[in-house]
Amino acid sequence: MTLAAPRILLVDDDPNIRRFVRLALEDEGWQVFEADTARRGLIEAASRQPDALVLDLGLPDADGKTVITELRGWSGLPVLVLSARDQEEEKVAALDAGADDYLSKPFGVPELLARLRVMLRRGQRSGGDKPGSTIRFGDVEVDLATHEVRQAGAAVHLTPIEFRLLAALVAGQGRVLTHRQLLLQVWGPEYLDRPHYLRVHMANLRQKIEAEPAQPRHLLTELQVGYRLVGLQG
């Protein structure tokens, strides 16, 4: 059976960027729709039902974060922010608003395609049958129901906090989770001003499940923004 080509909505007011991205995506056999304003982007998102949205933040009629916030009121559509704003606070604000990932301009086509593929796979998983309780990445196996973790077949003991942190990253399915999001999910709102808790427990978690904790392959840092889990097999 031939799978339908992914449908990507591109919202950017720069026609050169739109043309560049369109050509790159169409070269992969993907279908691309375009919009040059926030208002038109939301209309296209509702009417076209795309598989993913590539969104600029600097739109002429509204900030892209406003688009994300409004979109999240009625859609779980995966959103990749593509913006010249490379300040960490902008990245954090976009991710906290509900974006799934953030790529700064200028960017390379291979990285753009790779990030979109991750988002599309995540969308397929969330749209299909509910996955089982056991997930894998690398040689690590996690049973979300029993809280058992194994690495290369050997049992790994995690503290309750470490397991909650790992489970939050698993639930993110490859998304960047900001420090604020993780602190809320794992510790609660009263711990939002204690990011050192997150750093300490992430370091401990890497020591237990990464083959090379100093050069992690799965529990990755997005500098000054947050963390993501890559290599999830489901």
Side-chain angles (χ1 to χ4, degrees), residues 92-214:
V92 171
L95 292 165
D96 279 340
D100 294 83
D101 206 348
Y102 195 113
L103 185 58
S104 298
K105 299 176 182 175
F107 57 92
V109 168
E111 184 175 8
L112 171 66
L113 295 174
R115 295 198 184 208
L116 281 171
R117 288 190 187 101
V118 169
M119 288 171 48
L120 291 169
R121 286 197 298 270
R122 185 165 63 243
Q124 290 167 357
R125 285 200 298 267
S126 64
D129 295 333
K130 185 177 180 180
S133 65
T134 301
I135 63 93
R136 296 171 181 81
F137 54 93
D139 62 356
V140 177
E141 182 177 295
V142 182
D143 191 319
L144 297 171
T146 65
H147 291 200
E148 294 177 336
V149 179
R150 294 185 175 275
Q151 184 183 41
V156 177
H157 173 71
L158 299 185
T159 67
I161 287 288
E162 290 165 355
F163 188 85
R164 289 206 299 273
L165 178 56
L166 180 58
L169 291 164
V170 167
Q173 297 187 9
R175 282 196 309 130
V176 179
L177 298 179
T178 66
H179 299 138
R180 176 184 176 84
Q181 289 169 330
L182 287 168
L183 287 166
L184 277 171
Q185 291 183 45
V186 179
W187 284 274
E190 64 272 25
Y191 288 85
L192 287 177
D193 61 347
R194 303 179 191 180
H196 60 284
Y197 277 37
L198 184 55
R199 290 194 297 271
V200 169
H201 286 280
M202 179 60 74
N204 292 339
L205 187 56
R206 283 172 169 160
Q207 287 290 336
K208 293 182 178 182
I209 66 174
E210 288 279 6
E212 297 183 56

Side-chain angles (χ1 to χ4, degrees), residues 1 7 9 17 37 45 69 76 86 93 100 124 153 177 205 219 232:
M1 182 179 68
R7 296 158 54 88
L9 173 58
I17 291 290
T37 65
T69 301
D86 58 359
D100 294 83
Q124 290 167 357
L177 298 179
L205 187 56
L219 302 174
L232 191 64

Side-chain angles (χ1 to χ4, degrees), residues 18-84:
R18 293 203 310 274
R19 181 176 182 276
F20 176 72
V21 174
R22 170 186 278 278
L23 290 174
L25 299 185
E26 289 182 340
D27 194 50
E28 292 293 304
W30 298 1
Q31 189 174 4
V32 181
F33 306 103
E34 297 181 19
D36 58 1
T37 65
R39 179 176 179 276
R40 190 68 221 170
L42 287 166
I43 292 172
E44 292 289 309
S47 60
R48 299 287 190 176
Q49 295 292 299
D51 299 304
L53 167 63
V54 178
L55 176 68
D56 183 28
L57 293 182
L59 298 170
D61 57 336
D63 190 280
K65 295 187 291 293
T66 302
V67 175
I68 299 169
T69 301
E70 184 167 342
L71 183 71
R72 285 294 171 256
W74 49 270
S75 174
L77 175 68
V79 176
L80 171 63
V81 170
L82 194 62
S83 178

